Structure formats: C-alpha cells, structure tokens
Amino acid sequence: MLTLAFSAYDLSFLRFAFSPLREVAASVHALRTPARRALHLPWFKQVRPQLGSELTPLLDLITGGGYIPDFLCPVPTSPTPDLAGELAVLRATPHEVIRGDLDRMASELGPLTGCAAQLHQDPAAGLERLAHAIETYWQLAIAPHWPRMRNLLEGDLLYRTRQYAEHGPAGVFTDMHPTVRWEGRNLHLEQRPEEMSRLLAGEGLLLAASVFVWPGIFYRTDSPGQPIITYPVRAIATLWERGTAPAPDALAAVIGRSRALLLAELDTPASTTDLSRRTGLSAASVSEQLTLLLSAGLVTKHRVGRVMLYVRTPRAQTLLDV
C-alpha cells in the first residue's frame, strides 16, 4: 500500500484535470487487456477493425503490461488541455527522459523491440513517428466519441471541485475508487503491491479523470515531482448507452415529462448537447426546459472550459426522492 502524507500547504494544492494523451494511452491499454473491460465492448467492436500497422509505434510502447512510459502522458498544464498542445509537449521531451523511461520499461517488461527499440536508439526520429501514430489513432478511435467523452470529463471536474470546496479532501476521495482512501492527512492507495510512504513537501497532487482507465487506476507517485493519480470518470456507464432513464411519473405529472426527464438525467453534470442526445429531445427544447428549471432553482449551471454544464440542485433531488 502507498501512503501519501500531506502537509498543510499540500492540502490546498490539489489540481484537477483530464488529458487527451492519457486517454490515448489508457484506451490502447484497454484494447490490449479487454477481459475486465466489458463496459467498453461497443467501442472495442467499432474500433478494432479500423486499426492497422501505422499504429505499431503506439502498440510497441503500450504492451498491456504494468508500466506505460511516463513521457507518453505529460503532466497537464491546464485543467482541460487539447491534443495538439500535449503533442507539442511530447515532441519536446528531452531525449534522456525518453531513454530513461524506456530503460525502466525494459527492466520491468523485458528487452525493447520494434519501434520501442528504434525510439531508444534515435529519439528524434522515433518521436515524430510516435506523434504521427497518435494523431492517426486519435482520428480513428477517439475523435468520433470525444464530444461525449469530454462532457463526462468536464462534468467530473466540476463535481470534484465542488466536493473539494464544500467538504475538503475527504469529499474528493470518498467515491473516487475503491482502492483510494483518505484518512486524516493521509491518502492511502491500496492497489500498490509494495509498502511505500511519501511525505509531500509542497508538490501537491494532480487528479486526472479518465474514461478508459476504468475499472482500475493509473498512478505516478515516485519522487521527484508532483504525484499523479488517474482515476475513472464518474457516470462512465452512461457513455456508450443509447437509451435514457424513464421520467418519474409522479414528478412528470406536476412539472411535465420533459423537465422531469431532464432532472432524472442530471445525476451528473451534462451539457445541452449531451442531454439532447440522451433524451431524444431537440437541443432547442432542452435549452428552453433548462431555462425554466434554472428559474425554479432546480438546476444550476457552471462553465467548465468551453462548455456550460448543468446539474440538479438538492431541491430537485428531494423532488425525485419523493
């Protein structure tokens, strides 16, 4: 078990983000290890037939083993980075860092082969091949689904920051993952097989929500630098579903079926576009109904990055629970 001990300063230095490159790495890892990831079966079936040899640089680095080279997942510099910015960071990775990560990969998973060995020998050329493979993979496997994925990720950021503001660190970690436990000023990570403790001294902690890391977590906690935990986004089960939750009959009789349906869907923050897709209502109708719900104090709205997200209020939850 890993224990991260927080100083008073570190308690105020929790960062929340998501990362397109982390989704690339986690999704390739999911393709390599599909047995425990039945939730993503609709995506697997759609994506697998499209993958070709041009993706070999990625597949040679993400083998399905325990270690993914750290340089593939640079630390996000903002809560909502884009792929182009992260690829620029990847291309600028110092060659000694790349070789160091690949040496660790070889020590844990066996001798380097294929594109991984070529990257170690010639990082400049290898990085360009890798970046091109990532761009190709993104267009085939991630881009068609990214608006829906981004909605979930931005909704999780909103939820976690609200939990942190209202309840402190305990609120952030309570429902994050079964292997993550907050106690006093210590964060315990039970997934780590060996005993290890680290006293934070101003580094803080980055928490990165992810779609494809489910059902596990990724972590980078070794010194030096800021530790990072990549955890499953909330409401992941709604990502690939096509149906919608039924509107509560009693509430629908009072406020109307459309508004009751929207409140039932807003268990997690969602945008107008996402609610339209999930409910079958037009975007214009969703917007009109949300305006009425907002006026009645049954939903609130928050801007996260470029998207406005709506979430139901405790008053609305009381109505749904009746």
Side-chain angles (χ1 to χ4, degrees):
M1 181 173 68
L2 167 72
T3 298
L4 294 177
F6 284 67
S7 69
Y9 176 81
D10 290 297
L11 288 174
S12 65
F13 195 32
L14 287 181
R15 289 206 299 129
F16 305 91
F18 61 82
S19 159
L21 274 184
R22 284 174 190 274
E23 294 304 332
V24 168
S27 63
V28 173
H29 190 271
L31 285 166
R32 291 288 208 182
T33 56
R36 295 177 57 239
R37 303 173 188 268
L39 185 66
H40 294 309
L41 184 60
W43 179 80
F44 290 151
K45 289 181 176 179
Q46 181 176 344
V47 167
R48 277 197 183 116
Q50 303 179 60
L51 301 181
S53 60
E54 69 275 8
L55 303 182
T56 300
L58 257 179
L59 299 175
D60 285 350
L61 288 171
I62 304 173
T63 64
Y67 178 67
I68 297 174
D70 291 332
F71 68 82
L72 275 176
C73 302
V75 177
T77 56
S78 73
T80 58
D82 58 26
L83 181 66
E86 291 200 312
L87 282 176
V89 174
L90 177 66
R91 286 184 167 102
T93 306
H95 294 178
E96 62 270 19
V97 171
I98 291 172
R99 289 192 172 105
D101 286 353
L102 292 175
D103 287 341
R104 176 178 173 182
M105 179 179 171
S107 68
E108 294 190 16
L109 303 178
L112 301 175
T113 60
C115 291
Q118 294 170 19
L119 180 59
H120 192 285
Q121 181 178 359
D122 186 357
L127 272 177
E128 198 52 46
R129 285 194 298 269
L130 176 61
H132 177 72
I134 290 172
E135 289 171 332
T136 302
Y137 176 78
W138 179 269
Q139 291 304 317
L140 291 174
I142 305 294
H145 313 288
W146 184 240
R148 293 165 61 186
M149 292 169 58
R150 187 181 178 107
N151 276 342
L152 276 188
L153 293 164
E154 289 177 334
D156 192 278
L157 261 60
L158 173 59
Y159 172 79
R160 297 293 168 190
T161 53
R162 287 181 64 184
Q163 287 292 98
Y164 185 45
E166 294 175 8
H167 306 291
V172 172
F173 297 111
T174 296
D175 59 352
M176 179 169 285
H177 194 269
T179 65
V180 175
R181 178 168 51 90
W182 179 261
E183 188 175 62
R185 287 189 177 181
N186 296 326
L187 181 65
H188 303 290
L189 185 60
E190 296 174 359
Q191 178 173 307
R192 185 157 184 149
E194 69 273 18
E195 288 289 335
M196 176 183 170
S197 295
R198 177 178 172 184
L199 176 62
L200 300 180
E203 302 96 333
L205 176 66
L206 174 64
L207 297 168
S210 169
V211 167
F212 286 106
V213 73
W214 180 92
I217 58 174
F218 292 166
Y219 54 85
R220 188 179 74 193
T221 54
D222 298 338
S223 299
Q226 186 178 52
I228 303 171
I229 296 175
T230 305
Y231 64 92
V233 68
R234 293 179 78 244
I236 181 62
T238 68
L239 180 61
W240 310 119
E241 69 182 15
R242 297 301 181 187
T244 185
D249 291 339
L251 184 58
V254 177
I255 68 172
R257 179 184 175 280
S258 295
R259 288 186 283 277
L261 184 60
L262 290 172
L263 287 181
E265 288 290 340
L266 285 172
D267 182 52
T268 57
S271 68
T272 301
T273 301
D274 198 39
L275 288 169
S276 175
R277 175 188 62 80
R278 284 155 53 181
T279 63
L281 300 171
S282 69
S285 177
V286 170
S287 180
E288 179 183 357
Q289 304 305 327
L290 287 174
T291 298
L292 294 172
L293 292 170
L294 190 65
S295 299
L298 297 178
V299 302
T300 58
K301 62 180 181 179
H302 307 267
R303 182 169 294 281
V304 178
R306 296 168 292 179
V307 177
M308 187 69 73
L309 298 178
Y310 294 83
V311 64
R312 68 183 180 226
T313 63
R315 181 185 298 178
Q317 186 62 54
T318 300
L319 292 175
L320 288 167
D321 290 340
V322 172

